[in-house]
Every structure is written in C-alpha cells, then in structure tokens.
Amino acid sequence: MSPVGRALLLALLCGLLSACAPQRSVRVEPSDRPQPRGTPTGLYEVVRGDTLYGIAFRHGMDYRELASMNGIGPPYTIYPGQRLRLSAGTTAQPTAPARPTREARGVIAPIVAEQPARPASGSTPPPTARPQPPPGAPPSSAPVTGTPAPVTPSVTPSLPAGPPRWQWPAEGQIVSRYLAGDPTRQGVNLAGRGGDPVRAAADGVVVYSGSGLIGYGELIIVKHDETWLSAYGHNRKRLVNEGEAVRGGQQIAELGRTGTSRDMLHFEVRRNGRPVDPLGVLPKR
C-alpha cells in the first residue's frame, strides 16, 4: 500500500475509534455573577441578596478595603442597583440612594437594604412631613428625605479573643490542593459522602450563608477576627445563619455537591481578604 493510502486508512481508523469512545461533558461555571448590561468594567452593581462580605470575597478583597473605596461606613448598608468600585482607578456612578447617615449599631455590617418606598398618592403625611402642595399645583421636585431602614439586621456577637485555633473542617482526604495565582484552586477540596458533617475550623461569627456566589454552591463564610476568614463551599445543607456565633468543631453544614460533580468540601482560608494555603494554618494530620 502506498504511503498516501496508509495515511488515509489511519485517519479513518482514528475517526471510528473516536466515534465509539464514551463522550464526556464538561460544564464551565461562569467566573462571576452576570452584571446588568451597560455596567462599566471595574464596577459591580449590587443585586438583592448581596452583602459587602460576599462581594469582597468574590473579588478577592478585604471588606474594609471595598467599603473605604466606596465611602461606605458602618453599618455598611448597600442597596440593589448601587454600583461599587472594585479598584481605586474606577469612578463609581451610584444609581441608588445614598447610604444612611444614622448608624444602626449592633448589626452585622454587610447587608442589603430595601429601596425606600414613596408614600401612596393622596395619603396623609405624618406631622413632621413637608406640607402638600395645593390642589392643581405641579408636584414638587424636591427629593424625599428620610433614612431607609436596613433589612432584618442581625446582632453581631463579639469576635473571639486571640488568634484562631485552627482545626480540620472535615475528615476526608485531600483531592485538590491550593495553588497560588490559580483562581480555580484558592483552597483545598476534601472528599466525603453526602451528609457528612462540615465543622467550623475555629471560633467565629458567620458573615455569609447563602448560594449567591457562583462556583461555590451553598456557601458559608466565618469571620474569626479582623484578619482571618474561612469559607466552606458545595454544602448539601447549611445549618447556621448570618450573625450566628460558632465554636471551633461545631457542625455548621452537611457536606454535598452543590456546584460540583462529586461530594466534597471546598475549604478556603483568607487573610485580609486574600487567599492563603489552608495547609499552612491547619494542624498536621
């Protein structure tokens, strides 16, 4: 057989083998929550359910850095539709009411408040409200004053004294390790079975409990002090709420596979908002 014939026969055989091989599907998760059309690069538009901790965690920032960059002070109230700067060189264009000037003390800082509701037409204003215009007069264009109330503020327990005393959050074997600079490997993955206990790695306060961060599934974030956070992703069920104090070793979730193809815990440790290798702080096994 000529060289050309052999090449054609080899190509045909390769094609047949490829057609018979089992097909694998790969699902690629988007790296971030889709932003409304027209949102400039370097800005993030707040949606209902967001918290300042969650936004900062998603973008690898410290929540205090994000708050300072956008002129947001305690209790760090944010609003749906508000645009936040993610870098110092970006100019934010707020599209929501300014933050409240009256501090609501004793709340867990990063919350999203409802938009202030305008009085219904014809309703009787309270005694301190601005007088209504006479019948037939054009409506006033003066802005509505007042402070919008935050949504269901949670009392913040005091943070533990001293540095975190770390312990393993699950008993499974490590199936993926931290790799500096790789956004897909910012922690460790621990194998397990659905329903296995997920435990707090140290004393702290829950600052996020939800599923709004794409790629993490059902996620819990615990603040241990002003420096350290830990995160627990892909849970089957979350057992703690935002604002709740937890003890190291306390079960906070059930291990699962939300956002992944196998049962496992994704565990991250962050120092001042930046990921660090969890194996550098966890005790040796």
Side-chain angles (χ1 to χ4, degrees), residues 24-49:
R24 294 183 178 180
S25 60
V26 178
R27 186 176 72 171
V28 178
E29 291 281 2
S31 60
D32 202 355
R33 177 179 296 178
Q35 283 291 279
R37 185 173 298 176
T39 304
T41 302
L43 296 180
Y44 178 84
E45 185 164 322
V46 178
V47 299
R48 191 174 305 279

Side-chain angles (χ1 to χ4, degrees), residues 133 178 260:
Y178 169 88
T260 185

Side-chain angles (χ1 to χ4, degrees), residues 166-182:
W166 299 101
Q167 54 188 286
W168 285 82
E171 297 179 357
Q173 296 297 313
I174 298 173
V175 292
S176 177
R177 294 176 179 264
Y178 169 88
L179 181 60
D182 187 340

Side-chain angles (χ1 to χ4, degrees), residues 40 43 74 101 110 150 159 173 190-191 193 195 216-217 225 255 263-264:
L43 296 180
T101 56
L159 291 170
Q173 296 297 313
L190 303 175
R193 294 180 299 178
Y216 286 92
D225 56 23
L255 188 143
D263 291 326
M264 68 179 189

Side-chain angles (χ1 to χ4, degrees), residues 18 24 38 55 63 73 91 97 99-100 117 124-125 136 167 184 226 234 238 251 268 270 272 275 281 285:
S18 299
R24 294 183 178 180
I55 296 171
Y63 76 95
T91 302
R99 64 182 176 87
T124 303
Q167 54 188 286
T184 67
E226 295 303 325
H234 305 312
R238 292 174 283 109
Q251 183 175 358
E268 293 188 17
R270 298 205 177 190
N272 293 323
V281 301
R285 279 182 165 177

Side-chain angles (χ1 to χ4, degrees), residues 4-24:
V4 175
R6 285 197 298 270
L8 290 174
L9 180 59
L10 181 59
L12 179 60
L13 290 174
C14 289
L16 290 173
L17 290 174
S18 299
C20 296
Q23 298 298 308
R24 294 183 178 180

